[in-house]
Amino acid sequence: MNRLDRIEETQLRKNIPQFQPGDTVRVHVRIKESETKERLQAFEGVVIARKHGGARETITVRKTSFGVGVERIFPLHATIIDHIDLVKRGRVRRAKLYYLRELRGKAARIRERDTRGRQSNEAQATVAGKSK
């Protein structure tokens, strides 16, 4: 690992959940209203792209607000992001979901990924770990 990687590693956030394109996330963004006032604003939508890596990694989140598609690009490791909540997991077959921009209504829905088997396996692993 070279010097730049070590410096960049100190700037990475640790509280980012595991998610991928197709998942629905709620990003809580810090909004500065005046010099002293700050508030959190949630932006909930589908992750349609995840780009770059390391400290410069960004996600593109798309939602429909009052019938108009709205996309926002968030730098994952920036200080304006307070935290990210994973709302639901989507089942998709590609890494960039730009085709959702042309779809409207029910056609723009993404099927939900079934995570029941994975949760029961994790529960069995924790029980097996405790019994040892």
Side-chain angles (χ1 to χ4, degrees):
M1 184 185 297
N2 64 23
R3 290 180 186 171
L4 289 176
D5 290 337
R6 270 185 289 189
I7 293 169
E8 194 174 88
E9 191 176 293
T10 61
Q11 298 171 349
L12 299 180
R13 297 172 69 120
K14 307 288 188 260
N15 63 346
I16 297 173
Q18 293 288 337
F19 63 90
Q20 61 189 30
D23 295 349
T24 302
V25 294
R26 188 177 299 121
V27 182
H28 295 270
V29 185
R30 286 194 185 97
I31 303 291
K32 193 169 184 178
E33 291 185 340
S34 67
E35 258 184 68
T36 57
K37 276 190 169 181
E38 251 186 23
R39 68 180 174 87
L40 289 180
Q41 179 174 329
F43 189 91
E44 183 175 334
V46 177
V47 178
I48 63 168
R50 199 166 174 169
K51 288 186 175 181
H52 313 299
R56 62 193 73 79
E57 186 171 3
T58 61
I59 58 169
T60 305
V61 182
R62 179 179 177 82
K63 74 173 183 176
T64 304
S65 180
F66 298 102
V68 179
V70 180
E71 286 185 15
R72 233 178 129 177
I73 300 171
F74 295 104
L76 264 186
H77 301 284
T79 56
I80 64 159
I81 293 182
D82 186 57
H83 65 280
I84 298 174
D85 298 329
L86 182 63
V87 178
K88 67 180 181 179
R89 298 192 174 276
R91 182 166 171 230
V92 294
R93 296 171 69 178
R94 55 193 67 236
K96 304 289 189 277
L97 306 178
Y98 299 133
Y99 65 90
L100 289 177
R101 292 171 175 164
E102 278 77 47
L103 300 180
R104 301 284 175 261
K106 287 186 176 182
R109 287 182 303 181
I110 294 176
R111 287 174 53 190
E112 194 164 353
R113 193 172 352 141
D114 188 14
T115 57
R116 289 177 294 181
R118 189 176 300 164
Q119 290 172 349
S120 63
N121 289 341
E122 290 172 2
Q124 289 173 356
T126 56
V127 170
K130 289 180 182 177
S131 64
K132 287 183 181 178

